[in-house]
Structures are given as structure tokens and as C-alpha cells.
């Protein structure tokens, strides 16, 4: 945590206390109904809220026991520390907490406690209309009580608890109560008076060096007459316990020089530094001086300090609001012999160096109470807490040699922090567009404006202005850098100038709007618009809105406002608008300005920045952009995207200006993240029931990478977008940091918001917590992500996010995999060869070029290849490779490269990514051995199948089977014989069904003979997979092959099986007869009841019920591959059961999950090759006759694999059917498809491949529209831009007149420049 704003301190005389307990400093103060306990500038230990709604009056800390007492009304609450060891705080302070021990009540329930003081033996003195003494060791009746004539203003024990000093409001007679007995049941005190000429304002008892030390009591009092009086027991036989020892005139202590401007003031602020704190601070100053070089000024200051310290004085420091200071020393206070030199001046500073009260604008903030103490070891020498009664506590630090240096200096006092905040729970926080200002407000409409800036010490949040207005605030809009704020009320909008501590209302405009106002939006201004002119708008529940124009002027000041000169600021209605689309509207809200500029170009298109987001009760998201047309006096609105999320009654949504939207369902436990540009679901997570999502906030890195803060009641989870990974199907978002506040405050989070630069502000209760963007890499939330594990240090959050999303080096395994899928095999070999050459001489610390020395043009300039029809069948993308040095990527090179990768750590890769790189190197070398025997598709399958097996052996993947993408590559390969052989060898020639399912072999084998031969091999291996050789294991497979006799022979050898005789008897029958088919059916249903599903499917086949057997595989076994394989083996690829399975089960399943690979394969199996091509681009459910509405899964980003564009390009030119299917795709659809895939490459970190795609893609030629109608079929081959003689003619001959069909609109291929411009290059 970088900074903490613990809450607004109460304007009470005893609102702040500090103490030393077991070597650690504890500071406590009261804020509203909360007790705030801190251990340092930004170290909050605990916040305690009491149940009653009455504000606290006083707080006191006991240095002996560590107990803290607070009071409100007639109740006193005592909190005691708890932990492992009751007396130790040293190492436990990081988690040591306080809990309620006792609740004490005054005898008079109508009385109000106003003062608290701890005595010895855990005694607690309570001042009200009486003085009451309690013991907090055990609850009991008060030890002593005495009625007062005037309610107590101060009631303070001396350090030895022998004396009590008390006074009432406006009293000039200070009462001193002397204790007559200790430890007896009958406590008695006598009283004497110390007269003052005016009201007493401050009382302070001298403290000893050590708790065990016995000293004479000395009392310091400050009076309205600006005089400090010192009282001591100088006459033991006097009538009074204490006598006046000395007094100092504070007014005369500070006199400005004659040359100074007339800034004299009667206000004086004073505090006492006890001799114990002064001595410790001096020791530390001397110790620091001994460890550092000093100039002359520092040396003189230290000599002066040592001279003063030798007299062991008590010190009184006097200041005024202009920074002038005077310090007085009191030596031998209370001594028998008083000398004139006992009171001496330490320093007098005339220059206005450190203004103590720069923001005092009213009488409330004119009063300050001081608490000072010696700083922690290694910290500052002296700490001064200044409690301003306008609602803040300043933490100031100083080195005593600097503080009491007689010469002028600017570093006399340094302000480290200003503790302030609200006195009630924060309800909402709104930021400016830049994130440098924000406004927080409470339920009672108290609004505070905060300014944020980055300093050398880190993030700093300062309170700039306060709006305290009784009128209800509906919405807030922070304008510019926080100079002005617009508030939306019921029926009016007001404008406030917030450049001063108390904001001033400068303009107001009434309005009437149809429907309830839902949001307030600061509209972006067009570049070149008049300066200091802004427009804000509100949109109501009827989708109607009003825009106002605000003219600002820098000359506005409180004086001009008081004179009635309101023409400097103008607030007027600009226009009204109607967005329509009121169907089922739920809410409208402004988007988070994540890294957006306040000005826009003025172009009105779908690429413009979003400004608003609306969603309906059925989960339809709509994004809107707006443009202010000052000349026409209107605001133009454009709908930029529509996303059907399928989430009913969403409870929360939040959008960013860079097209990311998060939505929470009605249960508030399911979070989804959508890319509204492509209508993609990127994240779907359901949290535990107790984790209720109640806040969403967006920010962005400088390179436009998104970060989402998800707020729960007591924690905030930061989610970062990740690179898309279509090879391994990795997540698109992951948590990078978790911020928990339960240990700091029990109050739930009210709101959170991002500041500029990645700092997060969390409002909980009346406190604001500011967390910077530094996060720990070794944190469990980040350690499993794609980050380097070589150095686990604190890292910038934005650097982490950029690393998770930025462009990949060309040797990254994901980039290499996508290059292989894109047919850039030679390029991959050149990359690995270059990497090998570099790593041979690489040492730790060297820079490793992301491009390994290759020219960038090689990645996107299309390589010209000679066309050789004779080699079409065996052409491989690796065959044309030739390195400059005629070096080939052989197994030896691959082994050498992998050996190097095991010894060094590449700085751009994590350890997991480096393992994946080694896998790819090994796989490419395996493919290279067979490059002349297989085509590109076979190479793709073999490479990724081998990679899958390597990761499976290391348990580095959760995928049981290879994906349908790899199956489709093998399905469209013309080198299936070698693939079957290599897959079989992968399983040592003992392929079982689980191996076949893992490799998908029976999905991609097209030759029916090879299919049956391989299936028989699986059947044989299933039989021999166990030592006992159980025929049950292979029954389904032999019956699918219709080899009952083989199965019967196997049963004859299974004498050990108790089912042998019955099975032999039934298998020996002729199942072409209906009676035996019925018997087989009965056995099948019996086996289903016993949950022997595979055996039941076998008996369905025995009864010649293929459809029932397939249904068992689908429904009970949940094995689609087994169902397809049995259908293909039993009846062939023309099987009606197979067709029904594809149409009724597989295609609807593909539509539900958005699996385009599966859909394309199914259409191809149905001999609908035109539909197989269209399924790669068009929504699958639109291609089916009967389909349900697509599920949420179908909108996942994983359904849009960029490798689909490679398959589309390959299939559309393969046959006339596929070419005919491609012609049915509208040109605009193909354009969007290419742009979408380019964006996917960009999101994957493969920017160079995106550039290659948009630069080299060739659109089909569209047929020219004929002026005369004709029934002649257009030859699809004419749509190709290259020679088309090898396109297979597989279109059926028409048997009926051609039906009139809608022709696609004419689309001309844009030139490369327009492609690059649209994508952002």
C-alpha cells in the first residue's frame, strides 16, 4: 500500500493519541464511529467500528498494557490487544489486533464522556459532568467519582497517577486533584486550584525518561492570553500542590523583522517536546551525522544542538501560520534554586519557510492540537502530528539539528502525509478522465475532491476541496483536472468551482427529463474545439437525454462570486436527443476512460472511442459513441456494437473505452468479460457464493492493454488480459494481484477506482486506501503465469501486463506454432538456425534480438515458389528451404539447440515457455526426417501430435485427446498412410481404443479398407491388453467388424471366465433370425441396467441395431469418436445411421460450442463440401435447418482460431463444391473474417503474422452483374485470381432449372494500404 487516508478525524480535543509499547509506536485517532489504529505513515494496523451510530468523543492509549479506550455518550469502550504472547508486540505487530474487552457505563446515562486518561495499574479516568475512575482489570463499580460544576474539558492523569489536572469549557481555574491513597477500596482525592487570567486551552504533564523513573510532577498550561505557564512543586509546604515556576509570552516570542512584509498575526501554536524525546532525537542526529559527510552549515547546526542538549531541557516550540518559529528551553524545572538562565531561547526563525497552515480558510480550521514523539529506529529524529480541526492530521518529520538550526533552511519540517477522509462510509468514487483527480461522496452527500500526483517518494493523494450541500446528489462528473465538478440533482444540474478548500456553486440549470436519469457523461471534444468549453450529458431510462454546454473561465475566484459576477461561468442546455432502443432497457452507464484522450478526431464510425454502454434485462450489450456538433447545436450518437451475452437480469456491468466489457449475472457470482468489437467471450468465471461481485473498474497500460479490478466485499482481484493461445487453449485472462483489506478494516468495500498511472483507490467505510502498481512476482497469483522466474522481485503492474500481452519474439513457441500452421515452415527453420548460431556464443547478460537477426521483411513478404505439378502430392513447405550458408535444420542441429536450451535461460521466455520451445525444436526435427513423404497438412498434424505426446509425458497438458483442429489437418492430408504408421509406432504397435481416441485416427482415415484394418488391429490389442485376455474387452470391436466367428473362437479359449458357457451358447446362434435378435436385445437392455454400457452396445450390434449401439456410445459412454467409428466400420461412410449421427448430434453440438473445426469435418463427411467451407466463416447455427440458439460457449474467443483462415484458403480452391460454397459467403463477411483474424494474431502477440495476412490475402473475384437475365451457371473457377486447372469438378449435374438465388453484392478487393490502415499499422 502506497498511501492511506484513514478517515476524517473528529474535531475534538482528545481525538488523537500516540504511545510507545514494547518498542513499537502506536497512533490512534477517532473518525466518526471508527477507531483507527496506525503504526506509521502508511501502515494501518486496524480499524474498529462500534455498532452505535453516535460519533466518538475521545481516545486514550495506555503505554503499560497497550489498551485503547474510546468513549461516546455515557459509554466507554476498552480494547485490549490479543496475540500469541500477550506481552510481546515486536514481531507480531504486523498482525496484532485489538478486540473489545470491556464496555463501561457512567452512572448517569444522560451524561456524555468527553475526556479519557490512563493511570497506573490499568486505571481509567473518565471526564464528563463528573470525574469517574474505573479499573479495567476486572469489571466493577467505579473506584471513585466526583461531581463537577462544569463538564470536563480536560481530565488528565500525571505520569505517576498521583495528580489529576482538569478544567471545564471556558474555565480559567484549573483544578489539581491530589491522590491521598493508592490501591485501597476507598479512593480519595483533595483538590486545589491554579488560577489563570483567561480560559485554559492546553494541559500537558511532564513525562520521565523511563517508565520506572520517579520524577517531580511538572504541569504545562496554555491560556487564551497566549502565555505558556509552567507549574511545579517548588514549595512543599504551600497551600497549593503546584506553584508557578515560569511563564513565556508566546505573542512576544515571535516578532517579524522590520524588512519583512506586514504579515504579523496574533495566532500562535505551541507544543512541548519532553526532555526524553529531545534526548533520543539528539542522539539519533549525532549518530546520523557521524555516518555522513557534512558541510559547514550542517556542522554548525549540530554543534548548536549538542550545546543545547547538554542542558537536558524541556523544549517549547512556538509557531505562527506563516512559518516563523521560536523555541524555548526549560532547564532544571522544579529545582529548589531557580536561575534566570533556566529559561533560554534555543532558536528564532523569521523566514516564512514552512507554512504550517496553508489551507486555513475558516475559523474551524484555525485550531490545531499537537502530538509529538521520537521517530522509529532508522527513521526521522522527531515526528510531529498536527491535528487540524478542519478534518486532517499532518504527519511532519524533522531532524532536531535541522529544526533548531539558527540559519535559514527549507527542510526544517517535512510533511510526509496528511490523514483525512470522510466521517461516514464512502458510497461512490468518480475519477476524472486523466485519473489525476477524483471525487468521493457519502450517503449524506458529503463530497470531497482529491488530487493525485506522483512524487519522488511515490503516490500522493491530497484533499483539495469539499462540497457539503444538503441537496441529494444523484450523479457526479469531474471536469478537466478537477477544477470544476458538475452535480446532477433531481430536476437540476449544478456546477461547482473546486479550486478552493470549500467549493463554491457557480451555476445551476433546471431540467425536465422523461424517465429517470441513469448516468452522467463527459462527452469528448473534437480536436480544435474552443478551449475551456465542455459538454456533459445525461441519459434517462427511456433512452432520451439532455446535453449541457459549460463555459469555464480561469478568472473565477471566491471574491468575484461574492460580488455577483457570475458571467465568467456559463451552464446552459445544449440540446436534447433520443437514442431509441428502449426495449427491455436495464441501465446506461459511461465507459471507464481507460487510457483515453479527452479529445477525439471527430470521425463518426465504428472505430471511434466508446463513451457509453447500455444493457438490457436479457443481457444485450450495446456500445455507443458520440460527437458534439457545435455548429449544428446537436450531439450525434452512433451504435458501435451489439453483443447478445445470454445473461438474464445482469446485476452489474462496466465497459472500457477500448472495447472491453465486464458483466455480472443476477446472482453476482458469475463474471464474464467480452470483447465488444468481435462479440467474443474472453472470460467466464463463477466465484464462491460468499464472493459477491459488487464493483468493476477498468484501466489500461500505455500500450492499451486492459486491466480489470473486480471488487468483492473485502478484497479486490486484479485481472490482466493474456495473449490468446489457440494451440493449448490457454485462458485469455488471469489474476495478477489480490488486495485484501479485511485485516485493515471490517467495513466492506464501498467503491474503487483507478487513478492515472495504475494506482488503485479503494473506499471502505470512511477510509480510502491507495495501492500503487508495484506487485510481487513471486506471489502465488503470478507465479503460474507466463512470467520469467529468474528474478522474483517487485515489478511494475503495467510491465507485467505488457509482458503478458506484448509482441512475442520470433523464437517464442507460440509464434513458431502459428508460423507452422500458416505454412511458413522454411521461415521457422531459418529462425531456429539463427537462434542456434546466436546461442552458441550467448552468455548471461547479453541482449537477445527478438528477430534473431532476420530482416523483418522475411515475415510478411510472400516468397515466390516455382510451380511443379509433378511434386504436388509430396510437396512440403520444408522442402524449399535453403539457408545462406547451405545449412539444413537436421536432427543434429535440433539436439545441439536443445542442449543449449537446457543450460541457459532466455530472458524473453519463462521456464515453461522454454520447455515448449524445446518440444517444438524436437518435433520439427522429427517432421524434417519425413518431409519428402508427406504434405503440409500431414506435417501440421504430426508436429502437433508429437508435441501433445511430449507434454502428456511431462503432465504439462490437461488435454486428454488432440483437438479437432489437428484431426482436420490429418483428414485433409493426402499422406495418411505414413501418418497411420507413425501414430501406430508412437504407441509401440499396441494401439488400444483410448490411444485411437487420443490421436483421432478413425476420424481422419478416409480409406475404408485402411479403416477396417486399423480397427481390427485395435480389436486385437484390446483382447491382449491384459494377461488374462478377456474376450469382453474386444467384443464390441469384433462385432462392429462383423467377425462373430473370431469372437466365438476367443470365447472358447476363455475357460476361466464364468460367462464362457452362456456367451458361447448365445453366439453360436444365427442372429439373422428375429428370435435371436430379440434375445440379443433383451441381453443388451439387461446389460444397460447393470451399467455395462460397452458390452450392451455390442449386443445391440449383435441384434443388428446399429442406431441403438451408437446411441449408447453417445449418451452412456459419452464417446462421440467411438459412435462414429462403429458406424463407419459397420455400414461404411454412406451409412444412414452415420448421417443421422452427424446431422442430429454432432452438428448441433458443434453449433452449441462454436466448434468450426468439428462442423467443417461433419459437413465434409456428409459430402456437403460447400457447407464445410462456409462453416469456417459463417455462424454455424445459421447453416443448420434446426438449431437452438447458440450457447454462451459458442461465443468464446477459442471458436475463432486464426488457423481457420489457412484452412479456408486451402479448401476454397480444392473443388468446385468448396469454391461454390465460398462464393456464397458475402464479401463483407470475408472482409470481417480477415480483419478479425488479423486482430486475433495481434492479441496473440503475432503482429508480424497479422501484417502478413492483411498484406497478402487474395479475395475471390466477384462475377460482374449482367444487364440481361441468363440461366447459364457461372463457372466458380473464374473467381480465382490464379490458375485453376487443378480444381476438382465435383458439382452434381443439374436436373432441374436453376433456382433464382440472391447474388452477393459486388466487392472490390481493397489495396494493401487500406488493409493496413484499418488494422492500425
Amino acid at each position: 500500500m502506497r498511501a492511506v487516508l484513514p478517515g476524517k478525524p473528529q474535531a475534538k480535543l482528545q481525538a488523537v493519541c500516540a504511545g510507545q509499547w514494547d518498542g513499537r509506536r502506536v497512533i490512534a485517532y477517532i473518525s466518526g464511529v471508527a477507531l483507527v489504529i496506525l503504526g506509521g505513515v502508511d501502515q494501518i494496523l486496524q480499524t474498529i467500528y462500534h455498532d452505535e451510530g453516535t460519533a466518538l468523543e475521545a481516545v486514550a492509549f495506555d503505554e503499560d498494557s497497550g489498551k485503547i479506550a474510546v468513549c461516546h455518550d455515557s459509554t466507554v469502550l476498552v480494547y485490549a490487544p490479543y496475540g500469541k504472547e500477550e506481552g510481546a508486540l515486536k514481531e507480531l505487530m504486523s498482525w496484532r489486533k485489538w478486540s473489545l474487552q470491556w464496555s463501561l457505563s457512567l452512572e448517569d446515562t444522560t451524561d456524555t464522556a468527553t475526556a479519557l486518561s490512563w493511570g497506573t495499574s490499568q486505571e481509567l479516568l473518565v471526564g464528563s459532568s463528573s470525574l469517574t475512575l474505573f479499573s479495567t482489570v476486572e469489571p466493577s463499580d467505579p473506584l471513585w467519582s466526583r461531581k463537577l460544576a462544569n463538564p470536563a474539558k480536560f481530565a488528565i492523569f500525571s505520569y505517576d497517577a498521583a495528580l489529576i489536572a482538569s478544567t471545564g469549557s471556558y474555565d480559567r481555574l484549573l483544578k489539581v486533584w491530589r491522590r491521598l491513597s493508592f490501591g485501597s477500596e476507598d479512593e480519595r482525592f483533595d483538590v486545589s486550584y491554579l488560577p489563570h487570567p483567561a480560559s485554559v486551552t492546553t494541559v500537558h504533564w511532564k513525562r520521565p525518561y523511563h517508565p520506572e523513573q520517579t520524577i517531580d510532577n511538572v504541569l504545562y498550561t496554555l491560556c487564551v492570553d497566549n502565555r505558556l505557564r509552567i507549574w511545579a512543586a517548588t514549595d512543599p509546604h504551600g497551600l497549593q500542590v503546584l506553584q508557578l515556576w515560569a511563564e513565556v509570552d508566546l505573542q512576544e516570542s515571535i516578532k517579524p523583522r522590520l524588512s519583512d512584509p506586514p504579515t504579523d498575526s496574533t495566532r500562535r501554536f505551541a507544543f512541548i517536546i519532553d526532555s526524553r524525546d529531545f534526548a533520543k532525537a539528539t542522539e539519533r542526529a549525532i549518530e546520523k551525522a557521524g555516518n555522513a559527510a557534512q558541510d559547514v552549515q550542517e556542522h554548525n547546526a549540530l554543534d548548536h544542538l549538542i550545546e543545547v542538549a547538554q542542558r537536558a531541557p524541556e523544549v517549547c516550540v512556538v509557531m505562527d501560520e506563516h512559518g516563523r518559529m521560536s523555541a524555548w528551553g526549560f532547564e532544571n524545572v522544579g529545582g529548589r534554586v531557580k536561575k534566570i538562565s533556566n529559561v533560554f531561547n534555543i532558536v528564532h526563525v523569521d523566514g516564512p519557510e514552512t507554512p504550517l497552515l496553508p489551507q486555513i480558510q475558516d475559523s474551524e480550521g484555525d485550531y490545531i492540537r499537537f502530538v509529538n514523539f521520537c521517530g522509529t529506529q532508522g527513521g526521522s529524529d522527531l515526528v510531529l502530528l498536527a491535528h487540524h480541526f478542519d478534518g486532517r492530521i499532518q504527519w511532519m518529520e524533522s531532524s532536531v539539528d535541522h529544526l533548531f538550526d539558527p540559519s535559514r533552511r527549507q527542510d526544517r519540517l517535512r510533511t510526509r502525509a496528511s490523514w483525512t477522509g470522510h466521517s461516514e462510509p464512502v458510497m461512490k468514487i468518480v475519477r476524472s478522465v486523466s485519473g489525476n483527480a477524483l471525487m468521493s461522496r457519502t450517503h449524506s452527500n458529503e463530497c470531497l475532491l482529491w488530487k493525485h500526483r506522483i512524487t519522488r517518494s511515490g503516490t500522493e493523494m491530497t484533499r483539495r476541496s469539499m462540497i457539503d450541500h444538503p441537496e441529494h446528489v444523484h450523479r457526479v462528473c469531474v471536469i478537466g483536472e478537477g477544477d470544476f465538478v458538475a452535480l446532477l440533482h433531481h430536476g437540476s444540474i449544478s456546477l461547482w468551482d473546486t479550486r478552493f478548500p470549500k467549493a463554491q456553486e457557480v451555476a445551476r440549470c433546471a431540467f425536465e427529463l422523461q424517465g429517470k436519469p441513469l448516468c452522467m457523461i463527459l462527452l469528448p471534444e473534437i480536436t480544435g474545439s474552443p478551449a475551456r468549453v465542455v459538454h456533459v450529458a445525461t441519459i434517462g431510462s427511456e433512452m432520451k437525454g439532455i446535453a449541457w454546454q459549460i463555459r469555464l473561465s480561469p478568472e473565477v475566484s471566491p471574491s468575484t462570486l461574492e460580488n455577483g459576477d457570475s458571467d465568467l461561468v456559463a451552464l446552459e442546455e445544449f440540446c436534447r436527443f433520443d437514442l431509441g432502443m428502449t426495449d427491455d432497457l436495464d441501465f446506461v452507464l459511461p465507459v471507464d476512460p481507460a487510457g483515453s484522450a479527452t479529445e477525439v478526431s471527430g470521425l463518426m464510425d465504428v472505430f471511434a472511442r466508446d463513451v457509453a454502454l447500455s444493457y438490457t434485462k436479457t443481457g444485450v450489450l450495446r456500445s455507443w459513441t458520440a460527437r458534439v456538433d457545435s455548429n449544428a447545436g446537436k450531439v450525434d450518437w452512433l451504435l458501435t456494437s451489439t453483443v447478445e451475452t445470454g445473461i438474464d437480469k445482469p446485476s452489474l456491468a462496466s465497459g472500457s473505452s477500448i472495447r472491453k466489457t465486464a458483466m455480472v449475472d443476477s446472482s453476482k457470482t458469475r463474471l464474464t468479460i467480452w470483447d465488444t468489437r468481435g462479440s467474443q467471450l474472453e472470460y467466464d468465471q463463477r466465484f464462491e457464493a460468499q464472493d459477491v461481485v459488487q464493483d468493476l473498474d477498468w484501466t489500461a497500460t500505455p500500450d492499451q492493454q486492459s486491466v480489470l479490478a473486480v471488487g468483492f466485499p473485502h478484497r479486490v482481484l486484479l485481472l490482466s488480459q493474456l495473449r490468446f493461445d489457440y494451440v493449448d487453449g490457454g485462458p485469455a485472462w488471469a489474476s495478477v494481484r489480490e488486495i485484501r483489506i479485511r485485516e485493515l478494516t471490517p467495513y466492506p468495500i464501498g467503491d474503487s477506482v483507478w487513478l492515472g498511472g495504475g494506482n488503485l483507490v479503494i473506499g471502505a467505510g470512511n477510509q480510502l486506501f491507495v495501492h500503487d502498481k508495484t506487485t510481487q512476482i513471486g506471489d502465488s497469483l503470478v507465479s503460474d503465469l507466463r512470467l520469467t522466474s529468474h528474478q522474483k522481485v517487485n515489478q511494475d503492474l503495467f510491465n507485467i501486463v505488457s509482458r503478458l500481452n506484448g509482441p512475442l519474439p520470433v523464437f517464442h513457441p507460440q509464434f513458431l506454432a502459428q508460423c507452422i500452421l500458416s505454412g511458413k515452415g522454411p521461415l521457422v527453420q531459418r529462425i531456429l538456425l539463427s537462434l542456434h548460431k546466436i546461442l552458441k556464443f550467448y552468455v548471461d547478460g547479453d541482449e537477445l534480438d527478438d528477430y534473431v537477426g532476420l530482416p523483418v521483411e522475411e515475415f510478411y513478404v510472400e516468397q515466390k515458389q516455382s510451380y511443379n505439378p509433378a511434386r504436388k502430392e509430396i510437396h512440403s513447405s520444408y522442402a524449399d528451404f535453403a539457408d545462406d550458408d547451405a545449412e539444413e535444420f537436421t536432427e543434429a542441429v535440433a539436439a545441439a539447440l536443445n542442449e543449449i536450451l537446457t543450460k541457459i535461460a532466455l530472458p524473453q521466455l519463462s521456464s515453461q515457455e522454454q520447455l515448449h520451445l524445446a518440444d517444438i525444436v524436437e518435433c520439427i526435427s522429427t517432421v524434417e526426417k519425413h518431409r519428402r513423404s508427406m504434405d503440409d497438412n500431414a506435417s501440421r498434424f504430426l508436429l502437433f501430435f508429437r508435441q501433445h505426446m511430449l507434454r502428456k509425458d511431462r503432465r504439462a497438458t490437461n488435454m486428454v485427446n488432440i483437438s479437432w483442429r489437428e484431426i482436420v489437418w490429418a483428414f485433409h492430408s493426402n499422406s495418411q498412410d505414413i501418418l497411420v504408421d507413425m501414430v501406430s509406432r508412437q504407441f509401440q504397435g499396441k494401439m488400444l481404443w483410448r490411444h485411437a481416441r487420443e490421436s483421432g485416427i478413425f476420424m481422419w482415415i478416409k480409406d475404408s479398407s485402411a479403416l477396417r484394418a486399423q480397427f481390427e488391429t485395435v480389436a486385437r490389442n484390446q483382447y491382449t491388453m491384459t494377461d488374462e485376455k478377456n474376450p469382453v474387452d474386444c467384443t464390441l470391436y469384433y462385432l462392429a467388424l462383423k467377425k462373430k466367428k473370431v469372437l466365438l473362437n476367443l470365447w472358447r479359449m476363455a475357460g476361466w471366465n464364468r460367462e464362457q458357457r452362456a456367451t458361447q451358447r448365445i453366439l453360436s446362434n444365427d442372429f439373422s433370425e428375429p428370435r435371436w435378435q430379440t434375445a440379443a436385445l433383451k441381453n443388451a437392455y439387461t446389460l444397460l441396467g447393470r451399467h455395462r454400457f460397452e458390452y450392451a452396445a455390442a449386443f445391440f450390434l449383435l441384434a443388428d441395431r446399429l442406431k441403438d449401439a451408437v446411441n449408447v456410445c453417445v449418451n452412456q459412454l459419452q464417446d462421440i469418436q467411438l459412435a462414429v467409428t462403429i458406424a463407419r466400420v459397420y455400414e461404411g461412410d454412406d451409412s444412414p445411421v452415420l448421417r443421422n449421427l452427424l446431422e442430429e448430434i454432432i452438428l448441433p453440438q458443434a453449433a452449441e460450442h462454436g466448434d468450426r473445426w468439428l462442423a467443417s469435418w461433419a459437413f465434409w463427411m456428409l459430402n456437403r463440401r460447400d457447407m464445410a467451407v462456409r462453416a469456417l466463416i459463417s455462424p454455424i447455427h445459421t447453416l443448420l435447418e434446426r438449431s437452438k440458439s447458440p450457447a454462451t460457449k459458442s461465443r468464446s474467443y477459442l471458436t475463432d482460431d486464426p488457423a481457420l483462415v489457412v484452412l479456408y484458403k486451402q479448401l476454397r480452391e480444392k473443388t468446385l463444391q468448396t469454391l461454390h460454397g465460398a462464393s456464397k459467403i458475402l464479401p463483407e463477411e470475408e472482409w470481417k473474417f480477415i480483419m478479425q483474424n488479423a486482430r486475433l494474431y495481434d492479441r496473440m502477440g503475432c503482429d508480424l503474422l497479422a501484417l502478413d495476412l492483411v498484406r497478402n490475402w487474395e479475395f475471390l473475384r466477384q462475377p460482374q452483374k449482367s444487364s440481361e437475365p441468363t440461366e447459364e451457371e457461372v463457372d466458380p473457377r473464374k473467381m480465382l485470381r490464379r490458375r485453376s486447372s487443378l480444381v476438382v469438378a465435383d458439382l452434381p449435374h443439374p436436373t432441374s432449372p436453376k433456382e433464382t438465388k440472391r447474388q452477393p453484392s459486388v466487392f472490390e478487393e481493397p489495396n494493401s494500404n487500406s488493409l493496413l490502415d484499418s488494422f492500425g499499422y
Side-chain angles (χ1 to χ4, degrees), residues 517-528:
L518 298 179
C519 65
M520 197 172 185
I521 304 172
L522 180 64
L523 299 177
E525 302 296 330
I526 299 177
T527 304

Side-chain angles (χ1 to χ4, degrees), residues 193-403:
Y193 295 89
L194 301 180
H196 291 73
S199 299
V200 178
T201 59
T202 301
V203 177
H204 177 82
W205 287 102
K206 179 182 178 180
R207 291 177 290 184
Y209 282 89
H210 307 286
E212 299 81 9
Q213 183 182 5
T214 302
I215 61 171
D216 294 333
N217 287 313
V218 177
L219 179 65
Y220 300 88
T221 61
L222 282 173
C223 195
V224 174
D225 63 353
N226 273 340
R227 285 180 177 270
L228 171 71
R229 291 173 174 82
I230 306 170
W231 308 83
T234 58
D235 184 5
H237 304 290
L239 296 178
Q240 296 178 335
V241 179
L242 300 176
Q243 291 80 35
L244 182 64
W245 183 80
E247 66 178 60
V248 176
D249 189 339
L250 305 183
Q251 187 67 34
E252 296 297 324
S253 297
I254 299 178
K255 285 294 184 181
R257 296 177 181 176
L258 296 178
S259 59
D260 286 346
T263 56
D264 195 14
S265 173
T266 60
R267 288 187 291 184
R268 295 292 182 267
F269 309 95
F271 59 92
I272 303 296
I273 302 177
D274 290 291
S275 56
R276 69 169 189 177
D277 291 329
F278 182 73
K280 291 179 182 178
T282 302
E283 291 175 3
R284 292 196 183 165
I286 295 174
E287 182 181 352
K288 288 182 180 179
N291 298 331
Q294 293 183 329
D295 54 19
V296 176
Q297 182 182 1
E298 299 289 342
H299 183 74
N300 293 338
L302 189 62
D303 289 344
H304 176 70
L305 177 64
I306 295 174
E307 181 183 351
V308 173
Q310 288 175 348
R311 304 177 69 172
E314 311 285 319
V315 179
C316 174
V317 179
V318 186
M319 295 181 178
D320 67 3
E321 70 271 28
H322 302 296
R324 291 186 287 259
M325 184 188 78
S326 178
W328 297 83
F330 309 116
E331 182 183 8
N332 193 25
V333 179
R336 302 298 179 186
V337 179
K338 179 184 177 183
K339 300 179 182 178
I340 298 177
S341 59
N342 288 152
V343 179
F344 60 95
N345 183 262
I346 298 176
V347 67
H348 186 280
V349 179
D350 292 307
E353 300 167 359
T354 308
L356 187 62
L357 306 173
Q359 296 182 348
I360 293 299
Q361 299 291 334
D362 52 27
S363 59
E364 185 185 39
D366 200 0
Y367 196 84
I368 302 178
R369 296 280 296 174
F370 293 97
V371 177
N372 65 87
F373 51 85
C374 186
T376 58
Q377 189 68 33
S380 297
D381 304 339
L382 187 69
V383 175
L384 178 65
L385 300 180
H387 173 207
H388 300 254
F389 273 40
D390 62 351
R392 54 197 170 94
I393 299 174
Q394 276 184 280
W395 177 298
M396 294 179 287
E397 295 181 352
S398 177
S399 179
V400 288
D401 56 336
H402 295 173
L403 181 63

Side-chain angles (χ1 to χ4, degrees), residues 268 296 372 691 782 855 895 911 965 1005 1141 1251 1302:
R268 295 292 182 267
V296 176
N372 65 87
D691 283 336
V782 183
S911 56
R965 177 184 56 245
I1005 291 181
L1141 174 64
L1251 179 60
R1302 179 172 60 93

